[in-house]
Amino acid sequence: MRQHRLALSVKGILHKTFWVDWPDIAAEAIKVGAPPTGERDGKPRYTVPFIYDPTTRRAISDSQTIIAYLETQYPDTPRLFPQRTRALQAAF
C-alpha cells in the first residue's frame, strides 16, 4: 500500500481510489487542480500520487506533501508521526 493511502486509512478518512493510465496523468492532475511535481524540458511535470480533498477543495501532489497536509488538516484524527519530529523525518 502506498504511503498516502496508508495515511488516509490510519486517519480514518473516507476516500476513493481512482486508477489513471500513464498517458492521462497530466490531464487528470490538471482537472482537479493538482500542482506539478517538477519540470521537464521547461514544461510542468505531473506525477502520481495526487489527492483532491472535497472538504477544502484543495489538490495536493507528492506523497510526503500529502501526508503533511493530512496531519495539518485533520489534527483530530490519529497522528501519523509524533509531534515535533518533522526535522528528524526529513533527515531520513
Side-chain angles (χ1 to χ4, degrees):
M1 185 178 279
R2 305 285 262 166
Q3 292 175 349
H4 61 286
R5 289 193 325 191
L6 180 59
L8 289 163
S9 295
V10 168
K11 289 189 149 298
I13 299 170
L14 295 177
H15 61 281
K16 294 179 187 176
T17 299
F18 295 92
W19 299 102
V20 180
D21 290 329
W22 181 261
D24 302 329
I25 291 172
E28 289 297 320
I30 291 167
K31 186 165 91 175
V32 299
T37 53
E39 202 175 274
R40 180 177 281 166
D41 299 327
K43 297 178 183 176
R45 181 174 180 228
Y46 296 90
T47 59
V48 291
F50 55 86
I51 65 168
Y52 176 77
D53 184 348
T55 305
T56 59
R57 296 184 181 169
R58 289 190 57 199
I60 300 92
S61 301
D62 183 64
S63 290
Q64 293 302 315
T65 307
I66 291 168
I67 290 169
Y69 169 81
L70 295 174
E71 284 284 70
T72 303
Q73 190 60 40
Y74 298 96
D76 296 334
T77 59
R79 296 202 54 82
L80 300 170
F81 302 104
Q83 289 185 316
R84 299 183 187 99
T85 63
R86 195 83 176 130
L88 182 59
Q89 294 167 39
F92 290 99

